[in-house]
Amino acid sequence: MLSGERKEGGSPRFGKLHLPVGLWINSPRKQLAKLGRRWPSAASVKSSSSDTGSRSSEPLPPPPPHVELRRVGAVKAAGGASGSRAKRISQLFRGSGTGATGAGGPGGPGTPGAAQRWASEKKLPDLAAGVAPEPPLASRATAPPGVLKIFGAGLASGANYKSVLATARSTARELVAEALERYGLAGSPGSGPGESSCVDAFALCDALGRPAAGGAGNSEWRAEHLRVLGDSERPLLVQELWRARPGWARRFELRGREEARRLEQEAFGASDSEGTGPALWRPQKNRSRAASGGAALASPGPGSGAGTPAGSAGKERSENLSLRRSVSELSLQGRRRRQQERRQQALSMAPGAADAQIGPADPGDFDQLTQCLIQAPSNRPYFLLLQGYQDAQDFVVYVMTREQHVFGRGGNSSARSGSPAPYVDTFLNAPDILPRHCTVRAGPEPPAMVRPSRGAPVTHNGCLLLREAELHPGDLLGLGEHFLFMYKDPRTGGSGPARPPWLPARPGATPPGPGWAFSCRLCGRGLQERGEALAAYLDGHEPVLRFRPREEEALLGEIVRAAAAGAGDLPPLGPATLLALCVQHSARELELGHLPRLLGRLARLIKEAVWEKIKEIGDRQPENHPEGVPEVPLTPEAVSVELRPLMLWMANTTELLSFVQEKVLEMEKEADQEDPQLCNDLELCDEAMALLDEVIMCTFQQSVYYLTKTLYSTLPALLDSNPFTAGAELPGPGAELEAMPPGLRPTLGVFQAALELTSQCELHPDLVSQTFGYLFFFSNASLLNSLMERGQGRPFYQWSRAVQIRTNLDLVLDWLQGAGLGDIATEFFRKLSMAVNLLCVPRTSLLKASWSSLRTDHPTLTPAQLHHLLSHYQLGPGSGPPPAWDPLPTERDAVDTGDIFESFSSHPPLILPLGSSRLRLTGPVTDDALHRELRRLRRLLWDLEQQELPANHRHGPPVVTPP
């Protein structure tokens, strides 16, 4: 058996920052002011959707490096001050509904019941061009400590402060304890049990204000806003990440906890009296984000099991209100002015706006109108929602903030398998949306590409999408049965098609390609046009073969059966071309998992056909005939006829394997790497390609076996025939076979038959070289073994006999050189040439040579072979080998134990060719026989399709009417 081998082919991460939902939506600085800079630091769940940036005229602050969210229930379960703050923050982003806020409902004040879904945030660094990335928290935690000034506003008057040493991990409670120690009001952190009550009586406050109007030299501080820091907040990070605006300053003050709460409530009351309550800005977050994952984070519904007693609800609400209104970094007057402008703009778009009077009693109507003022981005692709699943939660515009955008339902990580939740940019909550439904890639240069996930229902301009396809501006993308988007790319500058491709065709328009006949793009065409398009496909010359999965088995079986039977006059590589068309249609048009199944079925059919052919050839061999029937020696012509089917299968399988390898690599490159079925598909493809490898090696083995079997009976003539017959002239290089000496014609006839057979079957050049390499290897080993064997029994090693053998060998090599096989023959006949050259040395020169010089002149001969030739060389009657021919002592063991015969098992391994396939599936089919077979297969598929219809609906294939 032959052994087979395959030739070898050939950002930094940002730290996590916990932000509440919707913080950077619509004027980020305003949201910072209203939230009072209190972030839930304990509970967060990753989400990666996109949001639009603020359209405010104010500059956008540096965005946070990463945004994480958690469900409200998870935050409450976490417990502690951090979970309490996250709970309060979650109530700031409830859907406003009709704009009115109520105090009832299971979800808390102003929250619709059971309105719980995942909220999504964008990756803000993708939108902040030019903003330097901040180091991750892990690096900040190991940064050198800093010094914080904590003013004792509640302990002493003036600018009295104490400096404390703080790190990025220091919490507000720890700094309060240290500051109290510096003020002499508490002992060291480990002094005793009384310290806890002392620390609980004080709170660290984040004060925002500006110096008094007395000038820079006046140290009087005038605080305007105050916020009580939570015990687990980290003041050093607050000071580093959220700095005051120009003209404002921040400092940390140590006050009594009751006094701090009172001042915070007074600041809240002042802002409420000025009309800056949250009802004016809360609804803005509902529609301003572009590529979102859903509505805002809501409080748990009645069925969540997280209900709050009525007594604690009022306290929780007061904490929420104080958190939302305690601190602002913007001028309240400027904020009211911008809100009034938005109201005016919203009312100007309503019918009868000129006669409408702005009344103070309907702020919810103004907010709802403001939500309709959506401006699409001008520098990023986006999707316009045409139909959604829940109008109250779906957004209108979904912006692509990354080059690759993923639509899906998301999901939790699997605790059983340990696999993380799929990464999703836009969350869609329809029941038929998969966790990772569809991926869109839009690079700097058009076109964009859309690829559905396995089993995901996706339509493109009304057609079912099974493979990756181009996505142009204006195309319609349907996800499931509910969502319908229009893709827009403002970067193209209106360079897209003027007429959307999903519109019905104009009357009289030229039909598309032949694939149009089997697709759903027949809208707007009459029966006659459809019939003409179908007839053009059935008789067309385009290399296209369309079929449905249910017709695959019949189609593949028909192609393999026709190739095995040798029916028709197909070109040598015709079967591989037809099978490659089937593979190409599956890779381009059918579902993702269809190609591996097709390859497995195709490989099994080819293997079965080859096995049957090998069995037929073996049954016809003489040694398998019944007893009494004389064996007839094989002739080159008979061997060529027997081996032609095997050689055709070897040539076709080799080209088909190269084509399949290209398609599998393309499938692996284009497939979603997070698809759980991808590994299984690749394994199926590997198994199919292994079967094709086995077919190639088996056909190669059978071919060289029958060729070497024929050579075996013709090779002895090279040692026995005399080329110097009376009146004969030696032929020159490039002579015809008939001009060669009679003793060489049988051997050269086998070589010529093999060369013609490989040429007629269009065998790959690499396999042609390896086929003749094996034939030459066998010829060299067989002749050398015969030469060694003949020298033992009778005088054979003579100068005259050696000259005849050398002449025959030179004539064979010259003829092979003329056939283009000279280099291969010279390489494999080297050892035989060395042995014959030794025997051709004149006797007088040979007697003067020593063992060392002969080993140097004939390096390919082993010590045992060289000693055998010298010891049996005929020097004359009564003359024996001279002592100079004796082997050296160091080589005596090699001479005694070495084998003088060549082993046939040391043949060169079969190396399957790799690289691009020689099949050409582009351009029209020019071969008449291949075109006839292609037409026959198309009509076969048409007949199979008609058989599924009722009898009264069947009709024959249409015929193109002549012009």
Side-chain angles (χ1 to χ4, degrees):
M1 293 294 293
L2 295 176
S3 59
E5 297 181 2
R6 180 176 294 279
K7 188 180 298 181
E8 295 293 339
S11 90
R13 296 187 60 188
F14 296 101
K16 296 181 180 178
L17 183 62
H18 306 287
L19 295 182
V21 183
L23 176 60
W24 298 94
I25 301 173
N26 197 4
S27 185
R29 294 187 181 274
K30 293 183 181 181
Q31 308 301 340
L32 271 174
K34 290 173 180 165
L35 291 180
R37 304 185 178 211
R38 301 191 63 174
W39 322 121
S41 59
S44 55
V45 172
K46 280 190 178 180
S47 176
S48 48
S49 295
S50 309
D51 295 308
T52 53
S54 172
R55 283 185 272 130
S56 173
S57 59
E58 301 164 359
L60 195 67
H66 194 72
V67 181
E68 295 192 350
L69 300 177
R70 283 192 181 177
R71 286 186 181 270
V72 179
V75 176
K76 290 185 177 181
S82 175
S84 176
R85 287 194 302 278
K87 173 181 177 183
R88 297 197 301 269
I89 289 175
S90 69
Q91 297 185 6
L92 301 182
F93 304 99
R94 303 166 180 164
S96 60
T98 60
T101 58
T111 306
Q116 180 176 2
R117 60 173 292 181
W118 284 106
S120 63
E121 292 293 335
K122 64 183 177 180
K123 278 196 171 182
L124 295 174
D126 297 338
L127 288 178
V131 178
E134 298 190 13
L137 289 181
S139 63
R140 293 198 188 104
T142 58
V147 176
L148 283 182
K149 295 179 181 180
I150 299 182
F151 290 80
L155 306 177
S157 60
N160 183 29
Y161 66 89
K162 297 295 183 180
S163 298
V164 297
L165 194 63
T167 66
R169 294 188 177 273
S170 300
T171 63
R173 182 178 179 86
E174 296 172 353
L175 296 184
V176 168
E178 188 174 352
L180 289 175
E181 180 185 358
R182 297 294 305 276
Y183 278 104
L185 298 180
S188 61
S191 60
E195 180 204 355
S196 176
S197 61
C198 184
V199 174
D200 291 339
F202 290 89
L204 189 62
C205 302
D206 184 7
L208 188 67
R210 52 179 103 201
N218 191 349
S219 60
E220 181 181 356
W221 168 264
R222 188 182 63 176
E224 297 191 12
H225 303 283
L226 187 73
R227 182 174 72 91
V228 180
L229 292 178
D231 290 344
S232 61
E233 291 193 59
R234 301 176 183 180
L236 191 61
L237 287 182
V238 172
Q239 176 178 269
E240 177 186 354
L241 298 177
W242 289 280
R243 303 182 182 276
R245 294 186 58 188
W248 293 73
R250 164 188 282 112
R251 74 180 191 182
F252 294 102
E253 298 180 355
L254 184 64
R255 294 181 178 270
R257 190 171 295 273
E258 296 299 331
E259 177 192 5
R261 291 297 184 187
R262 179 179 54 81
L263 294 176
E264 194 176 41
Q265 292 292 340
E266 291 176 358
F268 159 70
S271 63
D272 190 28
S273 63
E274 292 177 353
T276 59
L280 294 179
W281 59 266
R282 186 183 344 131
Q284 298 294 333
K285 57 101 185 167
N286 288 336
R287 300 280 175 165
S288 59
R289 291 185 296 173
S292 71
L297 193 62
S299 298
S304 64
T308 305
S312 61
K315 180 181 178 181
E316 178 183 332
R317 183 174 183 274
S318 63
E319 292 177 355
N320 293 337
L321 295 176
S322 64
L323 180 63
R324 289 156 59 181
R325 301 190 181 191
S326 59
V327 180
S328 174
E329 292 185 357
L330 298 176
S331 171
L332 299 179
Q333 181 179 1
R335 180 165 53 189
R336 292 196 303 272
R337 183 178 63 253
R338 284 188 294 273
Q339 290 172 348
Q340 187 68 14
E341 291 176 356
R342 286 197 295 269
R343 292 184 182 183
Q344 296 284 359
Q345 185 179 8
L347 289 178
S348 66
M349 300 181 63
D355 300 331
Q357 297 294 330
I358 301 178
D362 53 354
D365 296 339
F366 300 146
D367 297 331
Q368 289 182 350
L369 290 174
T370 305
Q371 297 174 21
C372 302
L373 303 180
I374 298 177
Q375 181 178 0
S378 60
N379 59 346
R380 290 183 179 274
Y382 62 92
F383 293 88
L384 182 64
L385 180 67
L386 302 182
Q387 176 181 317
Y389 181 63
Q390 293 179 350
D391 294 340
Q393 298 180 358
D394 296 331
F395 298 100
V396 179
V397 175
Y398 294 78
V399 181
M400 291 185 62
T401 58
R402 300 189 306 139
E403 184 172 328
Q404 178 169 297
H405 195 86
V406 180
F407 292 89
R409 194 178 68 244
N412 300 328
S413 59
S414 177
R416 179 178 301 178
S417 62
S419 58
Y423 186 94
V424 173
D425 292 281
T426 292
F427 290 83
L428 305 175
N429 62 346
D432 56 350
I433 299 297
L434 301 184
R436 188 179 176 93
H437 197 90
C438 178
T439 303
V440 177
R441 289 185 293 106
E445 298 295 332
M449 304 299 294
V450 54
R451 181 181 67 246
S453 299
R454 185 188 305 272
V458 179
T459 60
H460 180 217
N461 293 331
C463 302
L464 183 63
L465 188 64
L466 299 175
R467 313 292 299 185
E468 188 175 40
E470 294 182 356
L471 188 64
H472 299 277
D475 285 0
L476 298 183
L477 187 65
L479 305 183
E481 298 181 356
H482 303 280
F483 288 97
L484 182 63
F485 301 93
M486 176 180 287
Y487 175 70
K488 306 289 287 184
D489 190 353
R491 302 174 301 174
T492 58
S495 59
R499 181 180 179 84
W502 40 267
L503 285 179
R506 298 186 181 94
T510 303
W516 168 78
F518 289 109
S519 68
C520 61
R521 293 188 287 265
L522 296 174
C523 304
R525 301 192 179 276
L527 292 177
Q528 182 178 358
E529 290 180 293
R530 295 170 60 180
E532 292 177 355
L534 178 58
Y537 164 74
L538 294 177
D539 297 330
H541 288 261
E542 290 78 9
V544 177
L545 189 58
R546 297 180 176 271
F547 59 92
R548 297 176 299 178
R550 68 189 71 174
E551 302 152 357
E552 167 193 314
E553 184 175 3
L555 176 61
L556 296 179
E558 180 63 22
I559 297 175
V560 174
R561 183 200 62 77
D569 51 352
L570 277 176
L573 298 181
T577 302
L578 296 175
L579 294 174
L581 291 178
C582 298
V583 174
Q584 180 173 265
H585 175 72
S586 175
R588 291 182 178 179
E589 303 294 339
L590 301 183
E591 61 173 340
L592 296 174
H594 183 266
L595 180 60
R597 298 193 298 269
L598 180 139
L599 294 179
R601 177 173 294 173
L602 174 62
R604 289 189 293 270
L605 288 175
I606 294 177
K607 181 179 178 180
E608 293 172 1
V610 171
W611 259 232
E612 289 296 328
K613 186 59 64 176
I614 292 176
K615 184 179 179 181
E616 292 177 8
I617 297 176
D619 293 340
R620 290 195 293 265
Q621 297 307 306
E623 60 270 20
N624 295 327
H625 289 172
E627 296 182 1
V629 178
E631 293 188 6
V632 179
L634 292 176
T635 61
E637 294 77 10
V639 171
S640 179
V641 173
E642 292 284 0
L643 294 183
R644 180 178 175 82
L646 292 182
M647 197 72 72
L648 283 173
W649 276 122
M650 180 165 55
N652 282 269
T653 307
T654 302
E655 301 302 330
L656 185 61
L657 177 60
S658 298
F659 183 81
V660 167
Q661 288 170 341
E662 296 175 4
K663 293 303 176 182
V664 172
L665 290 177
E666 292 178 5
M667 181 190 73
E668 184 178 4
K669 181 179 179 181
E670 297 175 359
D672 188 355
Q673 299 302 319
E674 299 185 9
D675 187 354
Q677 295 296 326
L678 179 60
C679 294
N680 185 40
D681 288 347
L682 295 179
E683 290 179 1
L684 293 178
C685 293
D686 289 340
E687 293 176 1
M689 290 188 290
L691 287 178
L692 296 179
D693 288 347
E694 186 178 351
V695 169
I696 296 173
M697 289 188 290
C698 189
T699 51
F700 179 86
Q701 178 192 17
Q702 294 296 315
S703 299
V704 298
Y705 168 75
Y706 288 109
L707 289 173
T708 53
K709 184 179 179 181
T710 308
L711 275 175
Y712 185 76
S713 60
T714 64
L715 288 175
L718 272 72
L719 302 179
D720 299 331
S721 64
N722 183 8
F724 306 104
T725 56
E729 296 183 0
L730 294 178
E736 296 293 335
L737 182 61
E738 292 75 12
M740 302 301 292
L744 305 181
R745 292 175 188 173
T747 301
L748 296 181
V750 176
F751 291 149
Q752 184 176 15
L755 186 62
E756 293 176 353
L757 184 60
T758 57
S759 176
Q760 294 171 1
C761 296
E762 297 185 12
L763 189 63
H764 195 281
D766 291 350
L767 291 182
V768 173
S769 300
Q770 295 184 71
T771 299
F772 280 96
Y774 193 90
L775 296 180
F776 297 154
F777 162 80
F778 174 83
S779 300
N780 174 79
S782 180
L783 290 173
L784 185 61
N785 292 344
S786 297
L787 183 65
M788 293 295 175
E789 186 179 5
R790 293 189 180 188
Q792 294 179 351
R794 53 189 177 89
F796 191 77
Y797 298 156
Q798 301 176 359
W799 180 84
S800 59
R801 179 62 63 89
V803 172
Q804 295 178 10
I805 297 175
R806 178 74 263 180
T807 303
N808 287 333
L809 187 58
D810 288 341
L811 291 175
V812 171
L813 293 177
D814 290 343
W815 187 90
L816 293 176
Q817 182 71 33
L821 303 172
D823 296 339
I824 305 176
T826 302
E827 177 68 24
F828 283 96
F829 280 107
R830 180 167 299 177
K831 179 168 284 193
L832 177 63
S833 297
M834 283 286 183
V836 175
N837 289 342
L838 174 63
L839 299 178
C840 289
V841 176
R843 184 184 307 173
T844 56
S845 301
L846 192 60
L847 290 174
K848 298 178 182 179
S850 64
W851 174 265
S852 299
S853 63
L854 292 175
R855 286 282 291 141
T856 303
D857 295 339
H858 306 85
T860 60
L861 296 176
T862 65
Q865 291 172 342
L866 178 61
H867 181 264
H868 177 79
L869 293 175
L870 293 177
S871 60
H872 295 83
Y873 190 81
Q874 301 296 320
L875 295 175
S879 299
W885 290 0
D886 292 339
L888 298 177
T890 57
E891 296 181 326
R892 175 59 63 180
D893 293 340
V895 172
D896 295 339
T897 60
D899 193 356
I900 63 175
F901 297 107
E902 287 292 305
S903 173
F904 289 97
S905 63
S906 60
H907 57 78
L910 174 62
I911 302 176
L912 298 181
L914 279 179
S916 59
S917 174
R918 295 187 298 166
L919 300 177
R920 293 294 173 260
L921 304 183
T922 59
V925 178
T926 57
D927 188 89
D928 293 339
L930 182 60
H931 180 235
R932 287 194 298 268
E933 184 67 13
L934 191 60
R935 290 177 55 193
R936 187 183 72 85
L937 294 175
R938 289 171 178 170
R939 294 177 181 271
L940 173 65
L941 294 174
W942 171 262
D943 294 339
L944 293 177
E945 183 178 353
Q946 291 297 307
Q947 291 176 6
E948 299 179 1
L949 301 177
N952 57 343
H953 290 176
R954 300 175 186 174
H955 53 84
V959 180
V960 179
T961 57

